[in-house]
Amino acid sequence: MNTPTRHETTPPFAVKKWQTYVPCSTLHWQPAKPFVVMRVVGDKVEVYDPTGGHRMGGRRWVALRNLHETDRTKAGKQRKTGWRLHCERLLSKHQELCGTCMNWLDPQHFGVLAWGFGHNTCTSCRAEIEARYGKLPTRR
C-alpha cells in the first residue's frame, strides 16, 4: 500500500492576491513589516504595506522566493529571513483588513472603521489597546 505524499493530500502552496504575510523572524536591526499581496507578476510580488509609505500606506515589490507557507524550513528549523503566510481573505468581498492584527474580518467585527485600506481596528485589538493605554475617544 502506497502512502500519499504531501502534494497528493494537500494542494500546493500558492501566493495569491489578498493574502497577508508577516515576517518569519524579527530582528531589532532589521525592520520587517507585514503586508498584503496585491498581485503576482512572474517571480515578483507587488505588496501593500498599510503602515508605511506615501500617505496612507505604500506599495513595493518583493521577490516571490521570499514568501513561504510557514516559518519553518523542510528540515524543521526556524526561518531567519522572508515572510510567512498569516491569513487569506475569505470568499466574502466585504471583508476588511485589521491594520493591527492583519486579519481579514467581516465589518461587524470592527471596533474602529477608518478611511483607507488596512487602517481599521477589530474589536479584540481595540480592547487590547484600551487595556494597555486607556479608553479610546469616541467620535460624535
Side-chain angles (χ1 to χ4, degrees), residues 15-124:
V15 176
K16 299 180 280 191
K17 184 176 182 176
W18 302 122
Q19 290 176 329
T20 59
Y21 285 81
V22 294
C24 289
S25 176
T26 54
L27 303 172
H28 297 289
W29 54 270
Q30 180 188 21
K33 298 188 284 185
F35 54 75
V36 179
V37 172
M38 299 311 290
R39 66 183 170 140
V40 179
V41 180
D43 63 347
K44 292 191 242 174
V45 180
E46 183 182 17
V47 301
Y48 176 77
D49 172 12
T51 63
H54 184 65
R55 296 189 185 229
M56 302 270 306
R59 291 179 185 252
R60 60 189 168 102
W61 291 90
V62 174
L64 182 63
R65 70 178 183 278
N66 292 330
L67 303 184
H68 310 286
E69 188 173 15
T70 69
D71 62 347
R72 301 280 174 182
T73 64
K74 289 180 184 177
K77 291 185 177 184
Q78 174 77 33
R79 291 186 192 277
K80 295 179 182 174
T81 61
W83 291 266
R84 68 169 174 86
L85 179 63
H86 178 65
C87 73
E88 295 187 54
R89 187 178 194 180
L90 298 178
L91 298 175
S92 170
K93 293 185 186 243
H94 301 290
Q95 286 188 323
E96 294 285 334
L97 180 68
C98 174
T100 306
C101 64
M102 296 297 285
N103 285 316
W104 291 98
L105 302 164
D106 291 323
Q108 68 266 22
H109 297 289
F110 284 95
V112 177
L113 285 172
W115 183 82
F117 177 66
H119 294 278
N120 304 310
T121 304
C122 67
T123 52
S124 60

